Amino acid sequence: MDKINKLVSQRAVVIFSTSSCCMCHTVKRLICELGVNPAVYELDEETRGKEMEKALSKLLNRTPPVPAVFIGGKLIGSTDKVMSLHLSGKLVPLLRDAGALWL
């Protein structure tokens, strides 16, 4: 969990993902299309990926734990939460407040 906390604190937007997950791709694409340059950690390609995956599963209380999106150091959640925020018009202000968007 310390590794996750450290990574999350270093960037405005952090996404934990796996390279073969279609929902992860959807969330990464949405965030990038909004003009954000997130830090993306592909757990299946990280040396400590399995360890991080277990910690995220515990944190999110779900398996698989990806995508896991953090904005401004706070856990936002998975695809459903990100899409809900986007459709309600709350995602962009959240990104702006975290310093991930300038406009």
Side-chain angles (χ1 to χ4, degrees):
M1 193 62 190
D2 291 336
K3 173 81 171 166
I4 291 170
N5 289 332
K6 182 180 178 187
L7 294 173
V8 166
S9 70
Q10 294 175 345
R11 295 282 293 274
V13 178
V14 177
I15 302 172
F16 292 95
S17 173
T18 57
S19 58
S20 61
C21 170
C22 62
M23 297 310 282
C24 295
H25 175 77
T26 301
V27 168
K28 291 183 288 189
R29 182 75 182 205
L30 170 65
I31 298 291
C32 289
E33 289 288 327
L34 291 172
V36 175
N37 184 22
V40 177
Y41 297 97
E42 303 289 356
L43 298 181
D44 56 334
E45 297 172 0
E46 291 285 325
T47 54
R48 294 177 62 192
K50 286 289 183 196
E51 182 182 325
M52 290 191 289
E53 188 173 347
K54 285 179 186 177
L56 286 167
S57 287
K58 205 177 266 189
L59 182 65
L60 291 165
N61 199 27
R62 59 175 267 172
T63 301
V66 292
V69 179
F70 291 79
I71 299 175
K74 296 178 184 166
L75 174 64
I76 298 304
S78 194
T79 309
D80 55 344
K81 184 64 177 173
V82 173
M83 292 302 180
S84 176
L85 287 169
H86 180 58
L87 293 173
S88 67
K90 297 176 183 172
L91 182 58
V92 170
L94 192 61
L95 293 167
R96 194 175 298 122
D97 291 345
L101 287 176
W102 299 104
L103 300 175

